[in-house]
Amino acid sequence: MPEGDTIRRLADNLTAKFGGSTVVRSTFRHPRLATVDLGGTELLEADAFGKHLFLRFSNGYSIHVHLRMGGSVYGRIAPEISAARRRFELRLDGGSITGVDIPVLEFLRTSRERNITARLGTDVCGAYDGDAATKRFVAAADLPVTQAMLDQRFVAGFGNIYAVETPFIVGVNPYTPVNRLSDAGALLA
């Protein structure tokens, strides 16, 4: 599963490469999205919050993607991958974006992205607020540190690599309950 920093880099790269490009054709291979047509809209930007990717368009709508364990988004055409696995394809005047094996794919008003992000903790790769992150993290109480780090409601963006390795790096047993940490903020920092 990609970590939050991977999704942040993906969003930044997609914005740099395609921001301001016009959609020439869009294809969605998803029952709820099969009739969505983004042709003629402009891709304003891609953004990330934790492990969630948002592609925002000039018509006030966004594509929301979560890759979970096996999804990928490519900033190119991917003809070597079977069409059945290509859940969405955006042909833009500046290139193509292809989503492969995407388990979570939604089309929503950009103004409603907050319904997704509101349930998440502070984004470690976004506008990070260390005090708010620590406050939410200590609310995990008796959960083991690693389990609390993986729970995106406390802090968004940590995945297995960080949740397993970070405690060791700072000298904390990953099975230590969060409420037993002497300085949860230092662990998150």
Side-chain angles (χ1 to χ4, degrees):
M1 174 183 303
E3 310 280 341
D5 60 328
T6 302
I7 303 301
R8 168 57 52 203
R9 279 193 303 278
L10 173 62
D12 291 347
N13 289 338
L14 291 174
T15 297
K17 189 172 180 181
F18 302 112
S21 295
T22 300
V23 178
V24 176
R25 187 181 72 190
S26 60
T27 305
F28 292 90
R29 294 179 185 87
H30 187 288
R32 288 188 314 254
L33 306 180
T35 61
V36 171
D37 181 8
L38 290 171
T41 63
E42 180 182 331
L43 175 63
L44 301 175
E45 66 179 346
D47 195 12
F49 192 101
K51 298 178 181 188
H52 297 263
L53 176 68
F54 297 95
L55 303 175
R56 297 183 181 130
F57 297 89
S58 60
N59 63 354
Y61 281 86
S62 296
I63 295 173
H64 166 232
V65 172
H66 194 296
L67 302 177
R68 296 229 171 125
M69 294 299 282
S72 300
V73 174
Y74 300 99
R76 63 178 176 82
I77 297 171
E80 73 281 4
I81 299 170
S82 74
R85 293 181 54 208
R86 289 181 268 152
R87 301 292 295 222
F88 74 87
E89 295 173 281
L90 302 175
R91 303 292 169 109
L92 303 118
D93 58 8
S96 294
I97 301 173
T98 306
V100 176
D101 298 330
I102 305 295
V104 177
L105 178 62
E106 297 177 283
F107 189 64
L108 68 156
R109 288 196 175 280
T110 301
S111 61
R112 297 191 55 108
E113 289 177 10
R114 183 79 181 125
N115 293 345
I116 295 164
T117 60
R119 66 179 182 253
L120 302 172
T122 299
D123 180 7
V124 295
C125 296
Y128 184 72
D129 180 340
D131 292 334
T134 301
K135 184 177 180 180
R136 285 184 90 141
F137 189 69
V138 298
D142 59 352
L143 285 179
V145 167
T146 295
Q147 185 178 347
M149 289 179 76
L150 291 173
D151 190 326
Q152 303 298 294
R153 295 172 301 168
F154 300 123
V155 182
F158 288 127
N160 288 327
I161 293 171
Y162 292 110
V164 171
E165 298 297 331
T166 302
F168 286 113
I169 290 169
V170 299
V172 172
N173 182 322
Y175 299 107
T176 301
V178 172
N179 58 9
R180 290 239 183 104
L181 293 174
S182 60
D183 189 356
L187 173 73
L188 296 178

